[in-house]
Amino acid sequence: MLKILNYCVLHSDKTTDVSLRLINVLSKPMSSCTAIDSGANLRKLFAGAVKAVQPASLINNQVKLADGHLTVSDQSFPLAKSCHVAGFGKAVLGMALELERTLGNRLKRAIVVVPKGIFQNYPQFKQENSKIAFIEGAANNMPDRDALVGAQSIKKLAEELQEDDLLLVLISGGGSALLPLPKPPITLEEKQNVIQGLSRGGANITELNTVRKHLSLLKGGGLAKLAYPSRVISLILSDVVGDPLEVIASGPTVDFQEDPDEAIQVGQSFTSKSFYKCK
């Protein structure tokens, strides 16, 4: 049983405001003179919408530190003696750097797994004297040995936490490929073969996640369980309609009741070979 588990899905109210203004502009008839001005306005609105949903902007606008409390959106948490960060996903780079700026000296350790090559594309994010250990992995959005090293490092961090620690978990789309840690004795290659076979057979994302969670140490609430008895707060940047937390990165901090028969049923639906329970 988990002691305390909070989920904070980051959204931007500015995006809604920009969308309404954009609809208002488009709904008005335009003369040839106003069309030029409207074009400039549309570009300005588009730039504003993009800026509003930048990961760093969301952290800056919605995560505040004051009077010994960490406030996320409308939720306030007493700040623990030691703050630690674990992150994985395509958008967590900016989130992690902004969170480090917010926490300052209160941040003790941070391990963040990001897509391979991201610093080549965004060299401006390379920071000197950062406490964040960035690990690049999952080339072509596929789990690989580098991502496995990152997942193992996050597992070690979680296992070392104490009751008075706080773990902030940064999660975004693409996090599943960046957090591959199969349950022993399953190897990464074996797990990949199973998931790829199901995918080629037509399994949907829900079915794939069902199998992933049963084969993984960290997915399906595994990360939160390893971090017990510390407090865990998940900051989730959703890329899924409806924000189903158990789907985003396969829900590493979302409670999950294992049912091996469910995973076996998925496997048998797409292959003549059965998945067998591992004790």
mmCIF file of all heavy atoms in Angstrom, residues 100-147:
data_model
loop_
_atom_site.group_PDB
_atom_site.id
_atom_site.type_symbol
_atom_site.label_atom_id
_atom_site.label_comp_id
_atom_site.label_asym_id
_atom_site.label_seq_id
_atom_site.Cartn_x
_atom_site.Cartn_y
_atom_site.Cartn_z
ATOM 1 N N GLU A 100 14.611 22.275 -11.675
ATOM 2 C CA GLU A 100 15.875 22.480 -10.964
ATOM 3 C C GLU A 100 16.031 23.948 -10.579
ATOM 4 O O GLU A 100 16.467 24.271 -9.465
ATOM 5 C CB GLU A 100 17.053 22.043 -11.831
ATOM 6 C CG GLU A 100 18.404 22.231 -11.149
ATOM 7 C CD GLU A 100 19.574 21.810 -12.016
ATOM 8 O OE1 GLU A 100 19.473 21.946 -13.258
ATOM 9 O OE2 GLU A 100 20.586 21.354 -11.462
ATOM 10 N N ARG A 101 15.661 24.845 -11.471
ATOM 11 C CA ARG A 101 15.741 26.275 -11.175
ATOM 12 C C ARG A 101 14.794 26.637 -10.031
ATOM 13 O O ARG A 101 15.141 27.434 -9.148
ATOM 14 C CB ARG A 101 15.382 27.086 -12.426
ATOM 15 C CG ARG A 101 15.605 28.590 -12.279
ATOM 16 C CD ARG A 101 14.928 29.364 -13.384
ATOM 17 N NE ARG A 101 13.481 29.241 -13.303
ATOM 18 C CZ ARG A 101 12.728 29.925 -12.447
ATOM 19 N NH1 ARG A 101 13.282 30.762 -11.591
ATOM 20 N NH2 ARG A 101 11.421 29.766 -12.439
ATOM 21 N N THR A 102 13.613 26.033 -10.026
ATOM 22 C CA THR A 102 12.624 26.320 -8.987
ATOM 23 C C THR A 102 13.068 25.801 -7.619
ATOM 24 O O THR A 102 12.955 26.495 -6.607
ATOM 25 C CB THR A 102 11.266 25.690 -9.354
ATOM 26 O OG1 THR A 102 10.810 26.248 -10.592
ATOM 27 C CG2 THR A 102 10.225 25.952 -8.272
ATOM 28 N N LEU A 103 13.588 24.586 -7.584
ATOM 29 C CA LEU A 103 13.957 23.959 -6.310
ATOM 30 C C LEU A 103 15.277 24.486 -5.750
ATOM 31 O O LEU A 103 15.474 24.513 -4.534
ATOM 32 C CB LEU A 103 14.044 22.441 -6.483
ATOM 33 C CG LEU A 103 12.731 21.715 -6.769
ATOM 34 C CD1 LEU A 103 12.996 20.243 -7.055
ATOM 35 C CD2 LEU A 103 11.759 21.864 -5.607
ATOM 36 N N GLY A 104 16.184 24.882 -6.631
ATOM 37 C CA GLY A 104 17.470 25.400 -6.171
ATOM 38 C C GLY A 104 18.242 24.384 -5.349
ATOM 39 O O GLY A 104 18.355 23.206 -5.719
ATOM 40 N N ASN A 105 18.741 24.813 -4.189
ATOM 41 C CA ASN A 105 19.567 23.948 -3.348
ATOM 42 C C ASN A 105 18.789 22.817 -2.689
ATOM 43 O O ASN A 105 19.388 21.907 -2.108
ATOM 44 C CB ASN A 105 20.262 24.782 -2.266
ATOM 45 C CG ASN A 105 21.302 25.721 -2.843
ATOM 46 O OD1 ASN A 105 21.886 25.434 -3.883
ATOM 47 N ND2 ASN A 105 21.523 26.848 -2.185
ATOM 48 N N ARG A 106 17.473 22.869 -2.754
ATOM 49 C CA ARG A 106 16.671 21.796 -2.156
ATOM 50 C C ARG A 106 16.728 20.514 -2.987
ATOM 51 O O ARG A 106 16.382 19.443 -2.502
ATOM 52 C CB ARG A 106 15.219 22.242 -1.994
ATOM 53 C CG ARG A 106 15.031 23.333 -0.930
ATOM 54 C CD ARG A 106 13.573 23.722 -0.821
ATOM 55 N NE ARG A 106 13.357 24.746 0.182
ATOM 56 C CZ ARG A 106 13.074 24.506 1.461
ATOM 57 N NH1 ARG A 106 13.003 23.256 1.879
ATOM 58 N NH2 ARG A 106 12.873 25.495 2.308
ATOM 59 N N LEU A 107 17.138 20.637 -4.235
ATOM 60 C CA LEU A 107 17.254 19.454 -5.085
ATOM 61 C C LEU A 107 18.539 18.702 -4.743
ATOM 62 O O LEU A 107 19.632 19.249 -4.823
ATOM 63 C CB LEU A 107 17.267 19.862 -6.563
ATOM 64 C CG LEU A 107 17.459 18.719 -7.569
ATOM 65 C CD1 LEU A 107 16.309 17.718 -7.472
ATOM 66 C CD2 LEU A 107 17.578 19.268 -8.986
ATOM 67 N N LYS A 108 18.395 17.435 -4.375
ATOM 68 C CA LYS A 108 19.549 16.618 -3.997
ATOM 69 C C LYS A 108 20.054 15.771 -5.155
ATOM 70 O O LYS A 108 21.243 15.727 -5.439
ATOM 71 C CB LYS A 108 19.180 15.709 -2.816
ATOM 72 C CG LYS A 108 18.707 16.459 -1.588
ATOM 73 C CD LYS A 108 19.744 17.467 -1.106
ATOM 74 C CE LYS A 108 19.242 18.220 0.124
ATOM 75 N NZ LYS A 108 20.193 19.267 0.561
ATOM 76 N N ARG A 109 19.139 15.069 -5.816
ATOM 77 C CA ARG A 109 19.527 14.199 -6.927
ATOM 78 C C ARG A 109 18.460 14.241 -8.011
ATOM 79 O O ARG A 109 17.279 14.414 -7.718
ATOM 80 C CB ARG A 109 19.689 12.749 -6.459
ATOM 81 C CG ARG A 109 20.896 12.473 -5.601
ATOM 82 C CD ARG A 109 20.994 10.982 -5.299
ATOM 83 N NE ARG A 109 19.840 10.516 -4.528
ATOM 84 C CZ ARG A 109 19.596 9.238 -4.241
ATOM 85 N NH1 ARG A 109 20.412 8.302 -4.692
ATOM 86 N NH2 ARG A 109 18.544 8.896 -3.518
ATOM 87 N N ALA A 110 18.894 14.053 -9.237
ATOM 88 C CA ALA A 110 17.939 14.005 -10.346
ATOM 89 C C ALA A 110 18.498 13.125 -11.454
ATOM 90 O O ALA A 110 19.643 13.296 -11.874
ATOM 91 C CB ALA A 110 17.652 15.403 -10.880
ATOM 92 N N ILE A 111 17.684 12.189 -11.905
ATOM 93 C CA ILE A 111 18.049 11.325 -13.033
ATOM 94 C C ILE A 111 16.930 11.434 -14.056
ATOM 95 O O ILE A 111 15.765 11.144 -13.757
ATOM 96 C CB ILE A 111 18.228 9.864 -12.591
ATOM 97 C CG1 ILE A 111 19.362 9.760 -11.563
ATOM 98 C CG2 ILE A 111 18.524 8.974 -13.803
ATOM 99 C CD1 ILE A 111 19.510 8.382 -10.955
ATOM 100 N N VAL A 112 17.281 11.867 -15.248
ATOM 101 C CA VAL A 112 16.283 12.122 -16.284
ATOM 102 C C VAL A 112 16.717 11.428 -17.573
ATOM 103 O O VAL A 112 17.820 11.667 -18.077
ATOM 104 C CB VAL A 112 16.112 13.637 -16.519
ATOM 105 C CG1 VAL A 112 15.121 13.891 -17.644
ATOM 106 C CG2 VAL A 112 15.640 14.318 -15.232
ATOM 107 N N VAL A 113 15.845 10.575 -18.100
ATOM 108 C CA VAL A 113 16.140 9.831 -19.324
ATOM 109 C C VAL A 113 15.422 10.511 -20.487
ATOM 110 O O VAL A 113 14.196 10.685 -20.457
ATOM 111 C CB VAL A 113 15.698 8.359 -19.206
ATOM 112 C CG1 VAL A 113 16.245 7.551 -20.381
ATOM 113 C CG2 VAL A 113 16.179 7.750 -17.889
ATOM 114 N N VAL A 114 16.194 10.908 -21.485
ATOM 115 C CA VAL A 114 15.665 11.680 -22.614
ATOM 116 C C VAL A 114 16.019 10.986 -23.927
ATOM 117 O O VAL A 114 16.915 10.140 -23.972
ATOM 118 C CB VAL A 114 16.239 13.117 -22.602
ATOM 119 C CG1 VAL A 114 15.740 13.880 -21.383
ATOM 120 C CG2 VAL A 114 17.766 13.099 -22.626
ATOM 121 N N PRO A 115 15.321 11.331 -25.013
ATOM 122 C CA PRO A 115 15.603 10.700 -26.306
ATOM 123 C C PRO A 115 17.042 10.922 -26.764
ATOM 124 O O PRO A 115 17.609 11.997 -26.568
ATOM 125 C CB PRO A 115 14.614 11.389 -27.257
ATOM 126 C CG PRO A 115 13.505 11.845 -26.374
ATOM 127 C CD PRO A 115 14.159 12.235 -25.081
ATOM 128 N N LYS A 116 17.601 9.908 -27.366
ATOM 129 C CA LYS A 116 18.984 9.980 -27.838
ATOM 130 C C LYS A 116 19.125 11.076 -28.902
ATOM 131 O O LYS A 116 18.308 11.189 -29.808
ATOM 132 C CB LYS A 116 19.404 8.629 -28.414
ATOM 133 C CG LYS A 116 20.879 8.527 -28.764
ATOM 134 C CD LYS A 116 21.282 7.081 -29.004
ATOM 135 C CE LYS A 116 21.215 6.276 -27.725
ATOM 136 N NZ LYS A 116 21.675 4.878 -27.904
ATOM 137 N N GLY A 117 20.162 11.891 -28.755
ATOM 138 C CA GLY A 117 20.435 12.954 -29.717
ATOM 139 C C GLY A 117 19.750 14.269 -29.420
ATOM 140 O O GLY A 117 19.893 15.227 -30.180
ATOM 141 N N ILE A 118 19.020 14.353 -28.306
ATOM 142 C CA ILE A 118 18.234 15.558 -28.037
ATOM 143 C C ILE A 118 19.119 16.782 -27.829
ATOM 144 O O ILE A 118 18.761 17.897 -28.205
ATOM 145 C CB ILE A 118 17.305 15.338 -26.818
ATOM 146 C CG1 ILE A 118 16.257 16.451 -26.756
ATOM 147 C CG2 ILE A 118 18.094 15.253 -25.516
ATOM 148 C CD1 ILE A 118 15.137 16.182 -25.765
ATOM 149 N N PHE A 119 20.313 16.594 -27.257
ATOM 150 C CA PHE A 119 21.182 17.741 -27.017
ATOM 151 C C PHE A 119 21.861 18.224 -28.299
ATOM 152 O O PHE A 119 22.320 19.358 -28.368
ATOM 153 C CB PHE A 119 22.225 17.406 -25.949
ATOM 154 C CG PHE A 119 21.649 17.311 -24.565
ATOM 155 C CD1 PHE A 119 21.519 16.088 -23.932
ATOM 156 C CD2 PHE A 119 21.214 18.446 -23.901
ATOM 157 C CE1 PHE A 119 20.979 15.995 -22.661
ATOM 158 C CE2 PHE A 119 20.667 18.370 -22.629
ATOM 159 C CZ PHE A 119 20.550 17.139 -22.011
ATOM 160 N N GLN A 120 21.911 17.378 -29.309
ATOM 161 C CA GLN A 120 22.414 17.821 -30.610
ATOM 162 C C GLN A 120 21.398 18.733 -31.287
ATOM 163 O O GLN A 120 21.767 19.707 -31.947
ATOM 164 C CB GLN A 120 22.708 16.607 -31.500
ATOM 165 C CG GLN A 120 23.852 15.738 -30.996
ATOM 166 C CD GLN A 120 24.073 14.515 -31.869
ATOM 167 O OE1 GLN A 120 23.338 14.279 -32.828
ATOM 168 N NE2 GLN A 120 25.084 13.727 -31.535
ATOM 169 N N ASN A 121 20.131 18.412 -31.102
ATOM 170 C CA ASN A 121 19.071 19.228 -31.695
ATOM 171 C C ASN A 121 18.783 20.487 -30.886
ATOM 172 O O ASN A 121 18.348 21.502 -31.437
ATOM 173 C CB ASN A 121 17.791 18.402 -31.828
ATOM 174 C CG ASN A 121 17.949 17.231 -32.772
ATOM 175 O OD1 ASN A 121 18.675 17.316 -33.757
ATOM 176 N ND2 ASN A 121 17.288 16.119 -32.468
ATOM 177 N N TYR A 122 19.012 20.408 -29.571
ATOM 178 C CA TYR A 122 18.728 21.547 -28.694
ATOM 179 C C TYR A 122 19.934 21.834 -27.796
ATOM 180 O O TYR A 122 19.880 21.646 -26.581
ATOM 181 C CB TYR A 122 17.488 21.268 -27.837
ATOM 182 C CG TYR A 122 16.255 20.959 -28.643
ATOM 183 C CD1 TYR A 122 15.856 19.638 -28.857
ATOM 184 C CD2 TYR A 122 15.491 21.981 -29.203
ATOM 185 C CE1 TYR A 122 14.722 19.348 -29.608
ATOM 186 C CE2 TYR A 122 14.364 21.703 -29.949
ATOM 187 C CZ TYR A 122 13.985 20.383 -30.150
ATOM 188 O OH TYR A 122 12.876 20.107 -30.893
ATOM 189 N N PRO A 123 21.042 22.293 -28.392
ATOM 190 C CA PRO A 123 22.262 22.528 -27.603
ATOM 191 C C PRO A 123 22.082 23.598 -26.535
ATOM 192 O O PRO A 123 22.838 23.635 -25.562
ATOM 193 C CB PRO A 123 23.285 22.967 -28.664
ATOM 194 C CG PRO A 123 22.461 23.483 -29.804
ATOM 195 C CD PRO A 123 21.226 22.644 -29.808
ATOM 196 N N GLN A 124 21.070 24.461 -26.698
ATOM 197 C CA GLN A 124 20.864 25.527 -25.710
ATOM 198 C C GLN A 124 20.445 24.976 -24.353
ATOM 199 O O GLN A 124 20.517 25.671 -23.337
ATOM 200 C CB GLN A 124 19.807 26.525 -26.208
ATOM 201 C CG GLN A 124 18.384 25.989 -26.282
ATOM 202 C CD GLN A 124 18.062 25.323 -27.606
ATOM 203 O OE1 GLN A 124 18.958 24.850 -28.303
ATOM 204 N NE2 GLN A 124 16.784 25.295 -27.962
ATOM 205 N N PHE A 125 20.006 23.714 -24.320
ATOM 206 C CA PHE A 125 19.577 23.119 -23.060
ATOM 207 C C PHE A 125 20.738 22.498 -22.278
ATOM 208 O O PHE A 125 20.552 22.025 -21.162
ATOM 209 C CB PHE A 125 18.510 22.053 -23.305
ATOM 210 C CG PHE A 125 17.169 22.620 -23.661
ATOM 211 C CD1 PHE A 125 16.595 22.357 -24.896
ATOM 212 C CD2 PHE A 125 16.479 23.417 -22.768
ATOM 213 C CE1 PHE A 125 15.357 22.879 -25.235
ATOM 214 C CE2 PHE A 125 15.242 23.950 -23.089
ATOM 215 C CZ PHE A 125 14.679 23.686 -24.326
ATOM 216 N N LYS A 126 21.912 22.483 -22.875
ATOM 217 C CA LYS A 126 23.071 21.926 -22.183
ATOM 218 C C LYS A 126 23.489 22.886 -21.082
ATOM 219 O O LYS A 126 23.851 24.036 -21.342
ATOM 220 C CB LYS A 126 24.225 21.733 -23.176
ATOM 221 C CG LYS A 126 25.251 20.709 -22.724
ATOM 222 C CD LYS A 126 24.727 19.292 -22.857
ATOM 223 C CE LYS A 126 25.825 18.272 -22.571
ATOM 224 N NZ LYS A 126 25.342 16.890 -22.665
ATOM 225 N N GLN A 127 23.401 22.441 -19.832
ATOM 226 C CA GLN A 127 23.650 23.317 -18.696
ATOM 227 C C GLN A 127 24.931 22.921 -17.965
ATOM 228 O O GLN A 127 25.201 21.736 -17.759
ATOM 229 C CB GLN A 127 22.474 23.255 -17.713
ATOM 230 C CG GLN A 127 21.140 23.663 -18.306
ATOM 231 C CD GLN A 127 21.054 25.146 -18.589
ATOM 232 O OE1 GLN A 127 21.531 25.961 -17.809
ATOM 233 N NE2 GLN A 127 20.461 25.505 -19.714
ATOM 234 N N GLU A 128 25.701 23.929 -17.575
ATOM 235 C CA GLU A 128 26.884 23.689 -16.758
ATOM 236 C C GLU A 128 26.473 23.640 -15.284
ATOM 237 O O GLU A 128 25.545 24.315 -14.857
ATOM 238 C CB GLU A 128 27.913 24.800 -16.978
ATOM 239 C CG GLU A 128 28.425 24.896 -18.412
ATOM 240 C CD GLU A 128 29.263 23.700 -18.824
ATOM 241 O OE1 GLU A 128 29.815 23.037 -17.914
ATOM 242 O OE2 GLU A 128 29.361 23.433 -20.031
ATOM 243 N N ASN A 129 27.169 22.821 -14.515
ATOM 244 C CA ASN A 129 26.956 22.737 -13.067
ATOM 245 C C ASN A 129 25.534 22.322 -12.693
ATOM 246 O O ASN A 129 25.018 22.713 -11.643
ATOM 247 C CB ASN A 129 27.283 24.080 -12.400
ATOM 248 C CG ASN A 129 28.706 24.536 -12.690
ATOM 249 O OD1 ASN A 129 29.631 23.731 -12.663
ATOM 250 N ND2 ASN A 129 28.870 25.822 -12.977
ATOM 251 N N SER A 130 24.896 21.551 -13.543
ATOM 252 C CA SER A 130 23.554 21.058 -13.232
ATOM 253 C C SER A 130 23.648 19.825 -12.340
ATOM 254 O O SER A 130 24.572 19.015 -12.456
ATOM 255 C CB SER A 130 22.808 20.709 -14.522
ATOM 256 O OG SER A 130 21.562 20.100 -14.230
ATOM 257 N N LYS A 131 22.683 19.683 -11.436
ATOM 258 C CA LYS A 131 22.615 18.494 -10.588
ATOM 259 C C LYS A 131 21.918 17.332 -11.290
ATOM 260 O O LYS A 131 21.854 16.229 -10.755
ATOM 261 C CB LYS A 131 21.865 18.818 -9.290
ATOM 262 C CG LYS A 131 22.599 19.766 -8.361
ATOM 263 C CD LYS A 131 21.805 19.979 -7.083
ATOM 264 C CE LYS A 131 22.527 20.934 -6.144
ATOM 265 N NZ LYS A 131 21.742 21.181 -4.904
ATOM 266 N N ILE A 132 21.400 17.605 -12.466
ATOM 267 C CA ILE A 132 20.636 16.582 -13.179
ATOM 268 C C ILE A 132 21.571 15.686 -13.979
ATOM 269 O O ILE A 132 22.397 16.164 -14.758
ATOM 270 C CB ILE A 132 19.613 17.223 -14.134
ATOM 271 C CG1 ILE A 132 18.692 18.174 -13.374
ATOM 272 C CG2 ILE A 132 18.795 16.141 -14.835
ATOM 273 C CD1 ILE A 132 17.772 18.977 -14.267
ATOM 274 N N ALA A 133 21.436 14.387 -13.771
ATOM 275 C CA ALA A 133 22.164 13.412 -14.583
ATOM 276 C C ALA A 133 21.256 13.012 -15.741
ATOM 277 O O ALA A 133 20.260 12.309 -15.545
ATOM 278 C CB ALA A 133 22.531 12.196 -13.742
ATOM 279 N N PHE A 134 21.578 13.504 -16.930
ATOM 280 C CA PHE A 134 20.790 13.174 -18.111
ATOM 281 C C PHE A 134 21.352 11.916 -18.764
ATOM 282 O O PHE A 134 22.562 11.785 -18.945
ATOM 283 C CB PHE A 134 20.807 14.322 -19.121
ATOM 284 C CG PHE A 134 19.947 15.491 -18.732
ATOM 285 C CD1 PHE A 134 20.518 16.670 -18.279
ATOM 286 C CD2 PHE A 134 18.565 15.409 -18.814
ATOM 287 C CE1 PHE A 134 19.738 17.747 -17.920
ATOM 288 C CE2 PHE A 134 17.769 16.486 -18.455
ATOM 289 C CZ PHE A 134 18.349 17.659 -18.007
ATOM 290 N N ILE A 135 20.466 11.009 -19.116
ATOM 291 C CA ILE A 135 20.851 9.782 -19.812
ATOM 292 C C ILE A 135 20.049 9.719 -21.105
ATOM 293 O O ILE A 135 18.819 9.791 -21.082
ATOM 294 C CB ILE A 135 20.575 8.539 -18.947
ATOM 295 C CG1 ILE A 135 21.376 8.611 -17.643
ATOM 296 C CG2 ILE A 135 20.907 7.258 -19.722
ATOM 297 C CD1 ILE A 135 21.065 7.499 -16.659
ATOM 298 N N GLU A 136 20.738 9.606 -22.222
ATOM 299 C CA GLU A 136 20.069 9.548 -23.520
ATOM 300 C C GLU A 136 19.867 8.094 -23.938
ATOM 301 O O GLU A 136 20.771 7.264 -23.802
ATOM 302 C CB GLU A 136 20.894 10.282 -24.575
ATOM 303 C CG GLU A 136 21.069 11.770 -24.303
ATOM 304 C CD GLU A 136 21.840 12.473 -25.402
ATOM 305 O OE1 GLU A 136 21.466 12.316 -26.582
ATOM 306 O OE2 GLU A 136 22.832 13.163 -25.087
ATOM 307 N N GLY A 137 18.677 7.806 -24.446
ATOM 308 C CA GLY A 137 18.391 6.438 -24.862
ATOM 309 C C GLY A 137 17.226 6.370 -25.828
ATOM 310 O O GLY A 137 16.718 7.386 -26.294
ATOM 311 N N ALA A 138 16.803 5.141 -26.115
ATOM 312 C CA ALA A 138 15.639 4.884 -26.976
ATOM 313 C C ALA A 138 15.780 5.541 -28.342
ATOM 314 O O ALA A 138 14.937 6.341 -28.761
ATOM 315 C CB ALA A 138 14.349 5.323 -26.298
ATOM 316 N N ALA A 139 16.859 5.205 -29.050
ATOM 317 C CA ALA A 139 17.018 5.699 -30.418
ATOM 318 C C ALA A 139 15.839 5.234 -31.262
ATOM 319 O O ALA A 139 15.385 4.092 -31.152
ATOM 320 C CB ALA A 139 18.328 5.192 -31.014
ATOM 321 N N ASN A 140 15.315 6.129 -32.082
ATOM 322 C CA ASN A 140 14.154 5.828 -32.934
ATOM 323 C C ASN A 140 12.935 5.403 -32.115
ATOM 324 O O ASN A 140 12.098 4.619 -32.569
ATOM 325 C CB ASN A 140 14.500 4.737 -33.953
ATOM 326 C CG ASN A 140 15.662 5.125 -34.842
ATOM 327 O OD1 ASN A 140 15.723 6.251 -35.335
ATOM 328 N ND2 ASN A 140 16.603 4.212 -35.037
ATOM 329 N N ASN A 141 12.872 5.915 -30.875
ATOM 330 C CA ASN A 141 11.736 5.647 -29.988
ATOM 331 C C ASN A 141 11.560 4.162 -29.683
ATOM 332 O O ASN A 141 10.444 3.685 -29.464
ATOM 333 C CB ASN A 141 10.436 6.207 -30.589
ATOM 334 C CG ASN A 141 9.356 6.394 -29.533
ATOM 335 O OD1 ASN A 141 9.641 6.728 -28.388
ATOM 336 N ND2 ASN A 141 8.108 6.155 -29.903
ATOM 337 N N MET A 142 12.672 3.434 -29.665
ATOM 338 C CA MET A 142 12.644 2.017 -29.327
ATOM 339 C C MET A 142 13.508 1.780 -28.091
ATOM 340 O O MET A 142 14.612 2.320 -27.985
ATOM 341 C CB MET A 142 13.171 1.175 -30.495
ATOM 342 C CG MET A 142 12.282 1.201 -31.728
ATOM 343 S SD MET A 142 10.659 0.468 -31.429
ATOM 344 C CE MET A 142 11.122 -1.236 -31.127
ATOM 345 N N PRO A 143 13.031 0.985 -27.130
ATOM 346 C CA PRO A 143 13.845 0.685 -25.948
ATOM 347 C C PRO A 143 15.189 0.091 -26.352
ATOM 348 O O PRO A 143 15.257 -0.744 -27.257
ATOM 349 C CB PRO A 143 12.994 -0.341 -25.190
ATOM 350 C CG PRO A 143 11.603 -0.141 -25.691
ATOM 351 C CD PRO A 143 11.736 0.284 -27.113
ATOM 352 N N ASP A 144 16.264 0.540 -25.705
ATOM 353 C CA ASP A 144 17.586 0.011 -26.016
ATOM 354 C C ASP A 144 18.407 -0.087 -24.733
ATOM 355 O O ASP A 144 17.914 0.198 -23.635
ATOM 356 C CB ASP A 144 18.294 0.865 -27.075
ATOM 357 C CG ASP A 144 18.417 2.333 -26.673
ATOM 358 O OD1 ASP A 144 18.294 2.643 -25.469
ATOM 359 O OD2 ASP A 144 18.636 3.177 -27.565
ATOM 360 N N ARG A 145 19.668 -0.481 -24.880
ATOM 361 C CA ARG A 145 20.531 -0.687 -23.719
ATOM 362 C C ARG A 145 20.763 0.608 -22.942
ATOM 363 O O ARG A 145 20.864 0.602 -21.714
ATOM 364 C CB ARG A 145 21.870 -1.273 -24.172
ATOM 365 C CG ARG A 145 21.777 -2.732 -24.581
ATOM 366 C CD ARG A 145 21.559 -3.613 -23.366
ATOM 367 N NE ARG A 145 21.127 -4.960 -23.728
ATOM 368 C CZ ARG A 145 20.814 -5.896 -22.838
ATOM 369 N NH1 ARG A 145 20.852 -5.611 -21.551
ATOM 370 N NH2 ARG A 145 20.418 -7.086 -23.232
ATOM 371 N N ASP A 146 20.860 1.723 -23.646
ATOM 372 C CA ASP A 146 21.073 2.999 -22.965
ATOM 373 C C ASP A 146 19.859 3.373 -22.113
ATOM 374 O O ASP A 146 19.995 3.841 -20.978
ATOM 375 C CB ASP A 146 21.359 4.104 -23.986
ATOM 376 C CG ASP A 146 22.697 3.908 -24.682
ATOM 377 O OD1 ASP A 146 23.631 3.405 -24.030
ATOM 378 O OD2 ASP A 146 22.809 4.249 -25.872
ATOM 379 N N ALA A 147 18.669 3.170 -22.666
ATOM 380 C CA ALA A 147 17.450 3.435 -21.895
ATOM 381 C C ALA A 147 17.352 2.483 -20.707
ATOM 382 O O ALA A 147 16.877 2.864 -19.630
ATOM 383 C CB ALA A 147 16.222 3.302 -22.791
#
